[in-house]
Amino acid sequence: MLKPAPAAKQPGSWLGVYVSGRNAMISNVLPNTPAARAGLRASDLVLAVGGHSIQTSTELIAMISALKPGTAVELKVVRRSSRRTPLAIRVVVEAKPGPSEMLRRRFLGEPAQDFDLPQVDGGVVSLRDLRGEVVVVEVFASWCQVCKSTFQTLSELSDRGAVVLAISSEDRAKLERYVRKTPPPFPVLEDFMGRVQRRFDARQVPLVLVIDREGIIRHIGVGGSIEELDRAFEATKRALLATTRA
């Protein structure tokens, strides 16, 4: 379920990995993170942190989060290639980035996955068909008050030549009521079951993406803070300028 973007708070430490299931098996290692620098790999199973045995991903996250940034800790892991022989891997943890920074580390500079979504007012919008345009996407929810204010900024980007799309996983009836009551000046798309939102790891709203004419993500961030909106605005202006010069 989508949640409003939280206010900034003091982060704990992190490794820079995703863990899957109940156990502490690493499913993905993010680049340029403590885990990547230490040589951790996807499918590594973490058995212990600093000599303390763990069995679940919750325990792994809690123990790493409790460490002071800059702390060196030894992880005991089992790797498929090691024939179940545990390995000792030393990791220096660092402060966990905020939600926007985590998304930027993962998605910036990567191609945006194509999607085809029905428009609430009728028709289908395909990201593929918009190649050659600068596209700004906001993942929103009808109950999100911050989203309404970000729509005002996005309408300015639309006036400057960007194609703006609003995406929500709410049901069609709710979106139709929303559009009738407060119609935004750009298409509202229905993302049934949130399939497209999950591609961008959209767990909070609003989430804004800027995609250049080549289909590359040039900005991604959550929340309606002035800083985040400025980032989106500047990324869009740069992309539009590059389009003009092409």
Side-chain angles (χ1 to χ4, degrees):
M1 180 179 179
L2 291 176
K3 300 180 292 184
K9 62 180 180 179
Q10 187 67 28
S13 292
W14 82 324
L15 294 173
V17 301
Y18 285 91
V19 287
S20 59
R22 293 183 178 179
N23 60 20
M25 178 172 286
I26 296 172
S27 60
N28 188 25
V29 177
L30 298 178
N32 192 30
T33 60
R37 290 189 286 271
L40 287 169
R41 303 176 186 174
S43 79
D44 281 351
L45 178 64
V46 183
L47 302 178
V49 178
H52 300 281
S53 298
I54 62 170
Q55 294 183 335
T56 68
S57 57
T58 301
E59 290 176 309
L60 172 62
I61 293 169
M63 292 189 71
I64 295 298
S65 296
L67 296 174
K68 184 178 179 180
T71 300
V73 64
E74 183 178 278
L75 303 184
K76 183 179 179 181
V77 306
V78 169
R79 182 166 291 165
R80 289 178 180 176
S81 60
S82 65
R83 298 182 179 179
R84 311 290 305 173
T85 301
L87 303 174
I89 297 180
R90 182 177 180 273
V91 184
V92 179
V93 300
E94 61 184 34
K96 182 179 180 180
S100 291
E101 181 59 28
M102 290 181 68
L103 290 171
R104 286 193 265 272
R105 291 189 184 203
R106 184 175 178 185
F107 291 106
L108 271 190
E110 296 294 323
Q113 295 187 47
D114 291 326
F115 58 76
D116 299 274
L117 290 176
Q119 187 173 338
V120 172
D121 288 339
V124 174
V125 173
S126 169
L127 183 61
R128 187 182 305 106
D129 293 342
L130 295 173
R131 190 63 52 85
E133 302 283 353
V134 175
V135 181
V136 181
V137 178
E138 175 168 339
V139 177
F140 81 103
S142 62
W143 46 261
C144 172
Q145 294 299 315
V146 175
C147 299
K148 294 180 180 180
S149 63
T150 57
F151 279 177
Q152 297 176 5
T153 299
L154 298 192
S155 66
E156 294 180 34
L157 296 178
S158 178
D159 293 340
R160 289 172 175 259
V163 176
V164 179
L165 305 172
I167 295 178
S168 175
S169 59
E170 294 172 286
D171 63 72
R172 172 61 68 94
K174 184 174 292 185
L175 289 176
E176 287 177 343
R177 289 195 297 271
Y178 180 81
V179 170
R180 285 197 301 268
K181 185 177 180 181
T182 54
F186 36 77
V188 174
L189 311 182
E190 178 191 5
D191 181 20
F192 181 68
M193 300 296 290
R195 293 187 179 94
V196 171
Q197 295 177 33
R198 284 195 293 274
R199 297 179 190 176
F200 301 114
D201 201 18
R203 305 182 187 193
Q204 301 167 346
V205 289
L207 179 142
V208 177
L209 299 103
V210 177
I211 303 167
D212 71 12
R213 75 178 295 179
E214 303 299 328
I216 305 300
I217 297 173
R218 296 304 179 189
H219 168 79
I220 184 169
V222 295
S225 68
I226 294 176
E227 179 185 1
E228 283 299 326
L229 291 177
D230 282 347
R231 281 176 176 266
F233 208 93
E234 290 303 315
T236 305
K237 288 198 297 183
R238 287 194 298 270
L240 288 169
L241 182 61
T243 300
T244 302
R245 289 177 175 174

